[in-house]
């Protein structure tokens, strides 16, 4: 909890932390974990035919079939520097 009158100091500390986060790429092990979670989630969500067909239609309409075919490749190509730019 921020004490009354200390809000500016707390905000300054938070902004400084955000600036440092933007200057340093995330550790490679965290990027690896995020990649694994994205790929695992893509597999888990497609475990029944109804969901799979719905997602296939939505993704094809929104991104084109090439996106679906390349999803895993795209996720694996994410680098710490890519995440830093976001």
């Amino acid at each position: 909890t921020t004490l009354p009158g200390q809000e500016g100091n707390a905000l300054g500390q938070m902004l400084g932390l955000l600036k440092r986060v933007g200057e340093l790429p995330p550790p490679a092990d965290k990027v690896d974990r995020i990649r694994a979670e994205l790929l695992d989630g893509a597999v888990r969500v497609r475990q029944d035919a109804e969901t799979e067909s719905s997602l296939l239609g939505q993704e094809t309409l929104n991104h084109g079939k090439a996106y679906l075919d390349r999803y895993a490749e795209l996720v694996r190509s994410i680098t710490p520097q890519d995440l830093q730019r976001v």
Side-chain angles (χ1 to χ4, degrees), residues 11-50:
L11 181 59
Q13 289 177 2
M14 288 177 18
L15 291 173
L17 177 60
L18 287 173
K19 182 179 180 205
R20 285 193 306 277
V21 167
E23 292 171 349
L24 300 172
D29 63 320
K30 288 190 178 187
V31 176
D32 290 341
R33 190 178 76 237
I34 291 167
R35 279 191 210 112
E37 288 174 10
L38 286 170
L39 294 171
D40 183 55
V43 170
R44 261 188 288 117
V45 77
R46 291 176 162 82
Q47 289 186 347
D48 68 75
E50 182 179 350

Side-chain angles (χ1 to χ4, degrees), residues 29-82:
D29 63 320
K30 288 190 178 187
V31 176
D32 290 341
R33 190 178 76 237
I34 291 167
R35 279 191 210 112
E37 288 174 10
L38 286 170
L39 294 171
D40 183 55
V43 170
R44 261 188 288 117
V45 77
R46 291 176 162 82
Q47 289 186 347
D48 68 75
E50 182 179 350
T51 302
E52 172 64 18
S53 62
S54 175
L55 287 172
L56 179 63
Q58 290 173 24
E59 290 176 354
T60 300
L61 288 172
N62 293 330
H63 304 290
K65 184 157 179 353
Y67 172 79
L68 282 178
D69 295 340
R70 294 190 52 226
Y71 181 80
E73 176 188 339
L74 293 168
V75 168
R76 286 186 190 104
S77 72
I78 296 170
T79 67
Q81 291 76 21
D82 292 333

